[in-house]
Amino acid sequence: MHVHQLTADLTHVLPCAVTIAKLWNVLRMTDNKDLEAEIHPLKNEDRKSQENLGNQPKNEENLKSKPVQSRLSRCRTVAFFLSLFICLFVVFVVSFIIPCPDRPSSQGMWKLDYNAAVPYEFLAMRDVNRDKIQDVLFLYKNTNSSNNFTRSCGDEGFSAPCAYVAAVSGANGSVLWERPVAQDVALVKCAVPPQSDSEVSSACILVESLGSFIAINFFTGETLWSHSSSLHGNASILSPLLQVPDIDGDGVLDLLILAREGQEVSGAIYSGSTGDQIGHRSSLGVDGDGSALLHVTRTGAHYILLPCASALCGFSVKGLYEKVTGRDGQFKEDSYWEDMLNSSAHRRLLHSSGTIRYLMNVPGKAGQDVLLVSSEACMLLDGQDLMPRWTLGATQVLRKPILGHYKPDTLAVVIENGTSIDRQILLLDLSTGSMLWSQPLPSLPGGPPSTSLMTADHRSAFFFWGFHELVSTNEMDPQDMQHSLYMFHPTLPGILLELANVSANIVAFDAILFEPSRHAAYVLLTGPASSDMPGLVSVTKHKVRDLVPGSRVVHLGEGSSDSDQAIRDRFSRLRYRSEL
């Protein structure tokens, strides 16, 4: 019997027990009076005689009512025992006959292999089979699907090899569904979070290398809609796919797809429910490249931010909508931003000291702020006036930063500074830019990104790939090098916990809560580094807590007073929570 079920049983029984107690008190008071009369008959008779001297008529009435009181006493006794029997029967039925709801068991580790395949750099977690455990979505390129399914590339009109989408159970690694979806895939985006239970809001959008795109239901794998490309042959689609507020009134967020043709960036808006193009494609009037960002100002206006070499370019979604449709929309424009754009050439909002590499929306005090990473500095910009809040200079950021919590409920940003062999992990307070923690941690070229998980103490557990002991890459065969996964928690700032070592090429990695407040695990997608050389592709899940007992404790700087086993026990006791 589960503890929660027993608690529920007691909750139902308590009101009944209170009622029984009240009945018992009434019966006990009545019995006490009768017992006193039996023990002290003379005293009782004297009291009765004194009462009867002044009120003989009432005595006659009492004599008449004695049979009635006797019957009431027997009724109370019957009611007491009947209530007691009913309560005990209810407890028995609820506790032993009605079964507790079965919770699906989740394996701590599983692995799924595909031979002669090539993986895509994509992992997504969704509850596909609705068992309250997150499942894994991934992409791979192969001639045939796994042995459990018969769909081939030819069945869907593609030549072999083609791109497959697969959904794997997070509980046990079984394949829920998989099917060929495209000849090749350039971009993919899944709805985050699902806007409703409708099919169109539970979709993953895939863009082919030639520009055609398709929407699939990630619950079933079935195609919701598909459309051919309207781009020219020399155009390239810019990442990521952007979701804009609902334009056509169907209750589903619509898509904004940017493409670069020559030196111009153009944009087109598509319905999220049907994939139909809304209006026509139009130029943004900028020569940007790199990843775009959809930003919302303090006034609620939507703007597209795009790196333009050493400048930050911008364009309002309202202006783009009016250009592609020729009519006014429900979007807003920010007068302050419009003044900045109109007063600069080529719609430049900000000049940077180096080439802009990454743009991120981050939570601010009064809305979204913008984290800008260039080749020479990292800075936090105010989300309204784009004035720098803080700047970290002389940086060489290795990859896109991530967010976490070093202090309780206080956001920190993780910067991987330097090249792979001399990489340093920096944790900065997001609001002030002050240094919270730093540690040299070299990594292999092309190593997987870092990530974080919220813990119950309102901090974060951070996961870094690398190797603590510096190894000369010239003295080792690249095939013998291993990626090491380290875990860090702010309550133990002088400790890294080495959880695992992986020698395969890691294509994608993520650490998530597979069950809310239950267990955290990480997922690895490994496979060939080159699409020209198919090989073994593996998807692996490891529960973090199961890896802690066999982990290696790495002491940073001065040694900790706790033993290695005590440190492992502290990591094992960590509890995780979902981000709000």
Side-chain angles (χ1 to χ4, degrees):
M1 184 193 305
H2 296 294
V3 175
H4 296 293
Q5 184 67 36
L6 182 57
T7 304
D9 297 342
L10 293 176
T11 302
H12 292 301
V13 171
L14 282 176
C16 188
V18 171
T19 304
I20 294 175
K22 291 180 179 179
L23 291 173
W24 176 251
N25 288 332
V26 173
L27 292 173
R28 188 176 61 182
M29 292 172 63
T30 304
D31 293 340
N32 287 341
K33 293 180 180 178
D34 295 339
L35 182 60
E36 183 180 358
E38 293 177 3
I39 295 175
H40 304 286
L42 295 177
K43 181 178 179 180
N44 190 55
E45 288 296 329
D46 292 340
R47 184 169 63 247
K48 287 183 178 179
S49 61
Q50 291 175 4
E51 293 175 354
N52 291 337
L53 288 175
N55 196 5
Q56 189 168 358
K58 292 183 178 180
N59 187 36
E60 295 176 358
E61 294 178 1
N62 290 336
L63 291 174
K64 294 180 181 179
S65 63
K66 279 185 178 180
V68 177
Q69 292 178 354
S70 178
R71 285 195 300 271
L72 288 175
S73 179
R74 286 196 296 270
C75 290
R76 291 192 189 100
T77 304
V78 172
F80 168 76
F81 284 106
L82 182 61
S83 301
L84 179 63
F85 173 77
I86 293 174
C87 287
L88 292 176
F89 179 75
V90 170
V91 172
F92 177 80
V93 170
V94 173
S95 303
F96 299 100
I97 298 179
I98 300 177
C100 297
D102 293 331
R103 185 176 63 86
S105 60
S106 182
Q107 297 178 9
M109 184 271 176
W110 51 256
K111 185 177 182 181
L112 183 65
D113 293 331
Y114 292 84
N115 294 316
V118 176
Y120 289 89
E121 189 178 350
F122 169 74
L123 277 176
M125 312 299 165
R126 298 291 184 277
D127 186 7
V128 174
N129 56 358
R130 305 176 194 269
D131 62 353
K132 298 183 180 180
I133 299 176
Q134 294 295 299
D135 304 307
V136 183
L137 295 165
F138 65 98
L139 281 166
Y140 69 94
K141 196 171 187 178
N142 203 349
T143 302
N144 295 308
S145 62
S146 67
N147 296 330
N148 298 328
F149 295 85
T150 58
R151 277 179 165 176
S152 65
C153 296
D155 294 335
E156 299 293 336
F158 307 120
S159 60
C162 64
Y164 282 79
V165 178
V168 177
S169 169
N172 54 34
S174 61
V175 178
L176 301 176
W177 58 261
E178 64 178 351
R179 59 175 292 250
V181 292
Q183 193 63 54
D184 199 5
V185 175
L187 294 174
V188 59
K189 181 180 181 65
C190 294
V192 184
Q195 304 156 57
S196 65
D197 292 332
S198 64
E199 287 187 340
V200 292
S201 61
S202 305
C204 290
I205 312 297
L206 295 93
V207 180
E208 290 190 77
S209 299
L210 299 178
S212 300
F213 49 97
I214 178 175
I216 61 170
N217 186 326
F218 58 67
F219 290 124
T220 63
E222 297 302 320
T223 300
L224 299 176
W225 48 259
S226 62
H227 288 278
S228 58
S229 173
S230 60
L231 299 173
H232 297 97
N234 61 345
S236 59
I237 295 178
L238 301 179
S239 64
L241 303 179
L242 302 176
Q243 287 185 308
V244 296
D246 181 25
I247 294 174
D248 51 4
D250 57 6
V252 180
L253 297 179
D254 295 318
L255 295 172
L256 172 60
I257 298 181
L258 303 179
R260 183 181 178 88
E261 300 183 57
Q263 299 298 318
E264 287 288 326
V265 174
S266 61
I269 301 175
Y270 298 85
S271 170
S273 60
T274 64
D276 294 332
Q277 185 169 338
I278 300 174
H280 58 84
R281 180 170 291 276
S282 177
S283 173
L284 272 63
V286 298
D287 57 353
D289 53 9
S291 297
L293 180 71
L294 185 65
H295 178 70
V296 182
T297 68
R298 302 281 195 270
T299 62
H302 292 74
Y303 281 83
I304 306 163
L305 301 182
L306 197 65
C308 298
S310 59
L312 180 64
C313 297
F315 200 96
S316 72
V317 175
K318 176 180 175 63
L320 177 62
Y321 176 80
E322 292 174 353
K323 289 185 69 174
V324 301
T325 63
R327 60 180 184 268
D328 292 335
Q330 67 272 33
F331 295 105
K332 297 180 180 179
E333 281 187 338
D334 190 298
S335 58
Y336 181 83
W337 280 57
E338 289 302 313
D339 291 340
M340 287 194 297
L341 291 172
N342 294 331
S343 61
S344 64
H346 305 290
R347 308 194 68 81
R348 281 169 166 75
L349 292 166
L350 179 75
H351 288 281
S352 172
S353 57
T355 302
I356 298 177
R357 300 183 58 195
Y358 306 109
L359 290 171
M360 291 175 58
N361 279 323
V362 296
K365 294 181 179 179
Q368 293 180 343
D369 288 335
V370 178
L371 185 66
L372 184 148
V373 178
S374 71
S375 57
E376 298 183 7
C378 176
M379 64 180 68
L380 181 68
L381 305 176
D382 183 272
Q384 179 60 31
D385 57 21
L386 296 182
M387 296 298 293
R389 292 183 179 271
W390 54 260
T391 301
L392 178 67
T395 59
Q396 189 177 359
V397 180
L398 186 62
R399 58 174 55 90
K400 189 174 182 178
I402 65 166
L403 300 179
H405 294 79
Y406 187 87
K407 299 177 182 178
D409 295 322
T410 302
L411 274 175
V413 57
V414 180
I415 305 291
E416 299 183 44
N417 191 36
T419 60
S420 58
I421 201 64
D422 63 354
R423 182 186 66 165
Q424 191 173 32
I425 306 293
L426 308 177
L427 267 68
L428 309 179
D429 188 300
L430 182 61
S431 60
T432 64
S434 59
M435 187 74 66
L436 299 173
W437 184 80
S438 65
Q439 176 62 39
L441 190 65
S443 68
L444 295 175
S450 304
T451 189
S452 67
L453 276 176
M454 194 82 167
T455 53
D457 61 356
H458 296 260
R459 295 180 174 89
S460 292
F462 297 89
F463 298 87
F464 309 118
W465 289 90
F467 43 90
H468 181 249
E469 291 81 8
L470 185 61
V471 179
S472 174
T473 56
N474 296 327
E475 298 176 0
M476 294 185 62
D477 187 340
Q479 295 182 352
D480 297 332
M481 295 183 182
Q482 290 187 334
H483 299 275
S484 296
L485 177 61
Y486 295 93
M487 183 179 179
F488 169 77
H489 194 265
T491 56
L492 292 169
I495 298 296
L496 287 178
L497 204 64
E498 187 180 278
L499 295 177
N501 294 285
V502 179
S503 57
N505 177 60
I506 300 175
V507 179
F509 160 77
D510 200 3
I512 66 160
L513 277 178
F514 272 80
E515 298 174 85
S517 303
R518 285 194 174 272
H519 79 273
Y522 72 81
V523 179
L524 278 181
L525 177 62
T526 61
S530 173
S531 59
D532 298 328
M533 299 180 63
L536 178 65
V537 172
S538 298
V539 184
T540 309
K541 169 199 167 183
H542 281 285
K543 187 176 179 180
V544 173
R545 189 177 181 184
D546 291 346
L547 296 174
V548 171
S551 62
R552 182 172 72 96
V553 177
V554 179
H555 295 269
L556 309 174
E558 298 180 0
S560 172
S561 58
D562 296 332
S563 66
D564 287 358
Q565 186 56 47
I567 291 172
R568 293 189 189 96
D569 292 341
R570 288 185 62 177
F571 276 95
S572 293
R573 290 193 296 267
L574 284 177
R575 295 296 179 265
Y576 304 89
R577 60 191 293 262
S578 302
E579 296 275 359
L580 298 180

